[in-house]
Amino acid sequence: MKTAPTFASASEAMELAHAALGYLASADATAMAADTQAQCLRALEQAHAMYTAARTSVLAAFTAGQGYCADADYSPRAWLINRTRITKLGAAVAYTAWVRRAAAHPEVAAVLAAGEMSESFARTICQWTDKLPQESREDADEILLGAAGTGMGLRDLAGLAGEIYARSLPGNPDKDQEEAFGDRSVKLETTFGGAGVLHGDLSPECAAVVGTVLDALAAPAGSEDTRTQAQRFHDGLQEAMRRLCFCIMMNAWTAHRQTGRKPSSGRACTPA
């Protein structure tokens, strides 16, 4: 692990970070060699993880000291919205999510601060172990962090998290699993022009199934496929839903032929 540089003050450290990011933002990335571009992307992801840890630490201290009161704001979230000009969703992520996570998962926060794991991986591990009984979370964090440190991918980590969860269940596993994942959810919000925003909190088992389906349907379509991975996952989800709609229609048609019953009322499922 590299030794952190010494600064005279937090302001000096922020000025240097600002200057470094400003340089990279204004640099001609097209003139960089592919190796340099890859190095930048890896370093920026590491920096983003460390930024998240730093922001969380400062915000937690700011909250504990009620620093927001000096600007006549009634809460840290209100201060973030009014003084840093971020949205309510951004304030919620910055405050209620990571401040809580860092307090509940100190080992994850330490790995994040060291830049040894991406913010998204760290967040996912916290979401998984939050489902466990309080007394099991620290050990689960340690196991999953160790596995991730050896290079284990997210799908395998999801399977490991599911196994840890299953072993933590006392008594009736089915009943306890239903209670533990009571906050599981998927929300689809329709925006302008019929576009949508999809949010979800998936159990490890559900995440594994969804990941398998998306991987199967989101593979690049040859060397000329210029879609990003996120775009391919979007198109894979659409294809999965299209195929499911077709199966629902076929089942309804078969049931109608066999029983003479009309398909149940409701919104028609028509493949695009």
Side-chain angles (χ1 to χ4, degrees), residues 61-73 75-76 79:
F62 185 74
T63 300
Q66 296 185 331
Y68 51 87
C69 294
D71 289 317
D73 286 304
S75 71
W79 187 91

Side-chain angles (χ1 to χ4, degrees), residues 3-264:
T3 303
T6 301
F7 297 98
S9 65
S11 296
E12 181 180 323
M14 288 188 293
E15 288 177 3
L16 182 60
H18 198 277
L21 291 173
Y23 170 82
L24 290 174
S26 60
D28 182 6
T30 62
M32 299 178 184
D35 288 345
T36 302
Q37 293 168 344
Q39 181 182 9
C40 286
L41 291 172
R42 286 191 293 266
L44 285 170
E45 194 59 44
Q46 183 181 39
H48 181 258
M50 299 172 77
Y51 151 76
T52 299
R55 182 193 63 190
T56 299
S57 176
V58 173
L59 184 55
F62 185 74
T63 300
Q66 296 185 331
Y68 51 87
C69 294
D71 289 317
D73 286 304
Y74 63 88
S75 71
R77 186 180 300 185
W79 187 91
L80 288 167
I81 294 170
N82 295 329
R83 309 301 167 182
T84 67
R85 300 181 64 81
I86 61 177
T87 64
K88 290 183 179 180
L89 178 60
V93 171
Y95 174 60
T96 60
W98 267 116
V99 171
R100 177 189 61 79
R101 289 190 192 114
H105 305 271
E107 291 193 29
V108 176
V111 170
L112 201 63
E116 297 173 355
M117 176 175 288
S118 70
E119 185 272 340
S120 57
F121 257 56
R123 170 166 34 87
T124 301
I125 288 176
C126 289
Q127 289 171 342
W128 286 339
T129 57
D130 277 342
K131 313 296 184 184
L132 300 173
Q134 180 68 43
E135 64 273 12
S136 303
R137 293 175 188 172
E138 184 175 351
D139 289 341
D141 281 345
E142 184 176 351
I143 292 171
L144 291 172
L145 289 173
T150 64
M152 182 177 287
L154 196 61
R155 184 185 300 177
D156 290 334
L157 285 173
L160 178 58
E163 182 179 348
I164 293 172
Y165 168 74
R167 293 184 178 185
S168 73
L169 295 177
N172 186 341
D174 292 335
K175 181 175 182 294
D176 291 333
Q177 183 173 17
E178 179 69 20
E179 293 176 352
F181 286 104
D183 60 347
R184 65 194 183 281
S185 64
V186 172
K187 299 178 181 178
L188 176 62
E189 300 176 3
T190 303
T191 59
F192 298 107
V197 179
L198 184 66
H199 300 278
D201 186 5
L202 309 182
S203 68
E205 295 83 0
C206 180
V209 172
V210 172
T212 299
V213 171
L214 290 181
D215 284 345
L217 297 178
S223 59
E224 296 182 356
D225 190 345
T226 60
R227 295 175 298 168
T228 64
Q229 183 185 50
Q231 289 172 334
R232 287 189 282 107
F233 270 26
H234 168 278
D235 296 345
L237 177 62
Q238 180 177 343
E239 177 63 16
M241 294 301 99
R242 188 192 68 81
R243 295 185 185 185
L244 179 59
C245 280
F246 179 79
C247 291
I248 292 173
M249 291 176 61
M250 289 300 297
N251 286 341
W253 180 82
T254 301
H256 175 63
R257 291 289 300 272
Q258 292 176 345
T259 66
R261 295 177 182 176
K262 294 183 178 180
S264 60

